[in-house]
Amino acid sequence: MDWLALSAEEWTAIRLSLRVSAVAVVVSLPLGILVALALARGRFWGKSLLNGIVHLPLILPPVVTGFILLVLFGRRGPVGSVLDEWFGIVLSFRWTGAALACGVMGFPLMVRSIRLSIEAVDRKLEEAAGTLGASPLWIFLTITLPLILPGVIAGMILSFAKAMGEFGATITFVSNIPGETQTLSAAIYTFTQVPGGDAGALRLTVVAIAISMVALLASEIVAQRLGRKVHLE
């Protein structure tokens, strides 16, 4: 069973993937909730355009998405140059850039899950709270958010799973630098390109499957328990 023993480089890729995926989900969550709320409840010009932009990463080749991020957030890009010059933040070829790429690729899945949950909320509950003098923010925090929490959890897990498996956009935007931007998928790809790397690729593949299954099972359990709790209340 020695072939199952992970090397230091493989552990580094696993830890980096977990960190990148977690940061991508946490940072994109507030924006995901706001966008989902706007798409579910908002009535404004350009709503269809916003919906198309949000879901564009799902249909674009990941390499195209990565190239767009490189053009925009590279050190000479319109956004990247400002971040570098004014705030000293560099995203291209850094692990933070990998988190950005993973967040963008998983964002549509998060938004869609949360949007469906918001659309399923009974508006009469919110209207009743409004007649009692509750502010829109208080209504959202005390009524809407608890009701959509299973959808939020599901969206976070889907986004996390997408981030764990992201490859094309990440490698285009931040390359494949061991210890810095070489995520799990990139490490598997690297192993397949070198002689005798099949064992390493297989080990990381098993790890990727295990992490994905644990994440999906955890999301299902949490969503079911939260759903039962909301119904009981």
Side-chain angles (χ1 to χ4, degrees):
M1 301 294 287
D2 291 341
W3 68 273
L4 287 175
L6 297 169
S7 66
E9 292 78 8
E10 291 164 4
W11 276 115
T12 299
I14 294 170
R15 287 193 295 268
L16 180 61
S17 292
L18 292 172
R19 178 171 62 170
V20 165
S21 300
V23 169
V25 171
V26 172
V27 172
S28 61
L29 180 59
L31 181 60
I33 294 176
L34 290 176
V35 172
L37 191 61
L39 293 176
R41 301 282 179 82
R43 294 183 179 179
F44 54 90
W45 183 90
K47 180 178 177 180
S48 297
L49 179 61
L50 175 61
N51 185 60
I53 293 174
V54 168
H55 290 87
L56 200 58
L58 286 180
I59 58 176
L60 279 178
V63 174
V64 174
T65 302
F67 179 72
I68 293 174
L69 291 175
L70 184 60
V71 170
L72 293 177
F73 292 93
R75 301 190 73 163
R76 297 183 180 180
V79 180
S81 60
V82 174
L83 292 176
D84 184 19
E85 182 177 352
W86 289 90
F87 303 101
I89 299 175
V90 178
L91 296 175
S92 57
F93 307 108
R94 304 286 175 86
W95 76 267
T96 49
L100 173 63
C102 290
V104 169
M105 295 302 294
F107 193 70
L109 300 176
M110 176 186 291
V111 170
R112 181 169 179 79
S113 179
I114 299 175
R115 178 184 179 179
L116 292 175
S117 294
I118 294 174
E119 292 175 344
V121 172
D122 188 354
R123 298 294 297 273
K124 293 180 180 179
L125 297 174
E126 298 171 324
E127 293 171 357
T131 59
L132 297 175
S135 65
L137 179 60
W138 186 250
I139 292 173
F140 177 79
L141 292 176
T142 59
I143 296 178
T144 310
L145 187 58
L147 291 174
I148 67 172
L149 200 54
V152 173
I153 297 295
M156 292 175 64
I157 297 297
L158 287 174
S159 180
F160 180 85
K162 176 65 175 176
M164 284 295 297
E166 172 51 36
F167 175 71
T170 303
I171 200 170
T172 304
F173 182 38
V174 297
S175 189
N176 183 14
I177 306 172
E180 180 65 32
T181 65
Q182 189 179 79
T183 58
L184 198 57
S185 299
I188 293 174
Y189 171 78
T190 300
F191 274 122
T192 63
Q193 302 302 304
V194 298
D198 292 346
L202 181 58
R203 284 193 296 269
L204 292 182
T205 298
V206 172
V207 170
I209 293 173
I211 293 175
S212 299
M213 285 301 299
V214 169
L216 291 174
L217 291 174
S219 68
E220 188 69 21
I221 294 172
V222 171
Q224 288 179 357
R225 289 185 177 179
L226 287 175
R228 285 197 297 266
K229 183 178 179 180
V230 169
H231 288 310
L232 290 175
E233 293 176 351

